[in-house]
Amino acid sequence: MTIYVGVILCSVMIFWFFSYELHFPSDLEDLKSLASLLKQYRQDNFGYVILLFCSAYLYKQTFAIPGSVFMNLLAGAIFGMWVGFPLVCTLTGCGATFCYLLSKAFGKVLLLQYFPDKIQALQGKVQENLDGLFFFLLFLRLFPMSPNWFLNMSSPILEVPITHFFFSVVIGLMPYNFICCQTGCILSQLTSLDELFTFNVVIKLCGIAVMALLPGLIVKKLHKAKKSHSD
């Protein structure tokens, strides 16, 4: 059922992109031009623009195509913070879950063939943090250097529960999505993507990630203490 939904969304996206000669932005100037065009469409065709944006976002997330930063900036530029931020948080969670389900159905052989060492290393970390698995997953999402596409594709192979997966994506990527959407609201003033994640911003995101990991470490320690006491 999920595969069919993904195919339908992709078909809708392709139809609209070819009908209106739109395309995924590849640089900042391209993004500004696309945002200006879609803001004009939004005035008279808000529903169509929402449908187009959601279809394109889910397409990129489902098939692990890089470029989420452009889509998040675009959301802020077109819809503003009040609509754009909750929209991209929802789409991030749904799109990542579609990728999870797609990988569960078809991706295991490919991942084990091309990324055996990474899968093994991540599997070891998951086993070490089973007692506080959700907080560990949250840490991975909050940490700015984590490869989200790989986490999406490898999670079903590591038998990460889909509920843990979905909510860790939605909550863990909120700071990233917020920063992108907030910056997208002033997209016309942006001169470089380097202004988006400054050194201070990256340090703050790392700090938040560490804080998210602490509850899992405490739970893990208490579980070990309880186990040793019972023995």
Side-chain angles (χ1 to χ4, degrees):
M1 181 64 181
T2 305
I3 307 301
Y4 293 146
V5 171
V7 171
I8 292 172
L9 289 171
C10 292
S11 301
V12 172
M13 186 279 300
I14 292 170
F15 171 77
W16 281 102
F17 268 53
F18 275 97
S19 297
Y20 290 99
E21 298 182 350
L22 298 176
H23 56 278
F24 288 117
S26 56
D27 55 45
L28 187 57
E29 292 305 316
D30 204 12
L31 179 65
K32 289 180 180 180
S33 298
L34 183 60
S36 177
L37 180 62
L38 289 176
K39 284 169 83 171
Q40 293 178 19
Y41 287 155
R42 183 199 61 186
Q43 295 177 5
D44 299 320
N45 302 283
F46 185 81
Y48 290 143
V49 173
I50 281 281
L51 177 61
L52 170 62
F53 181 83
C54 291
S55 301
Y57 202 108
L58 290 174
Y59 170 77
K60 289 178 75 69
Q61 287 283 309
T62 301
F63 296 101
I65 300 173
S68 63
V69 61
F70 287 114
M71 298 302 293
N72 291 343
L73 287 169
L74 194 60
I78 300 173
F79 307 114
M81 279 297 295
W82 290 106
V83 175
F85 175 59
L87 179 64
V88 296
C89 287
T90 303
L91 293 174
T92 297
C94 293
T97 303
F98 288 163
C99 184
Y100 174 105
L101 294 171
L102 193 65
S103 179
K104 185 176 183 179
F106 304 108
K108 184 175 182 178
V109 175
L110 290 174
L111 286 173
L112 290 176
Q113 180 179 351
Y114 290 103
F115 306 102
D117 295 337
K118 290 184 177 181
I119 292 291
Q120 187 176 7
L122 188 56
Q123 188 171 35
K125 291 295 182 181
V126 168
Q127 291 299 318
E128 289 176 12
N129 294 276
L130 280 179
D131 296 327
L133 182 59
F134 178 77
F135 296 106
F136 175 68
L137 295 174
L138 202 58
F139 164 78
L140 291 178
R141 296 296 178 173
L142 286 165
F143 191 70
M145 305 304 174
S146 296
N148 284 294
W149 66 272
F150 184 73
L151 294 175
N152 294 345
M153 297 178 69
S154 61
S155 289
I157 299 172
L158 303 177
E159 298 183 352
V160 173
I162 194 168
T163 51
H164 281 44
F165 174 85
F166 176 81
F167 287 107
S168 67
V169 171
V170 173
I171 299 172
L173 291 179
M174 273 186 177
Y176 169 80
N177 290 336
F178 180 85
I179 292 170
C180 291
C181 286
Q182 187 179 50
T183 307
C185 293
I186 54 171
L187 182 62
S188 60
Q189 302 175 29
L190 198 66
T191 58
S192 171
L193 289 179
D194 293 335
E195 299 175 25
L196 188 59
F197 293 102
T198 62
F199 179 76
N200 288 335
V201 170
V202 172
I203 291 298
K204 288 178 181 177
L205 289 176
C206 290
I208 294 172
V210 171
M211 292 298 293
L213 188 61
L214 289 179
L217 295 175
I218 294 172
V219 170
K220 182 179 178 180
K221 187 174 182 179
L222 290 175
H223 181 79
K224 285 185 176 180
K226 183 178 180 180
K227 186 177 180 181
S228 61
H229 185 268
S230 61
D231 292 340

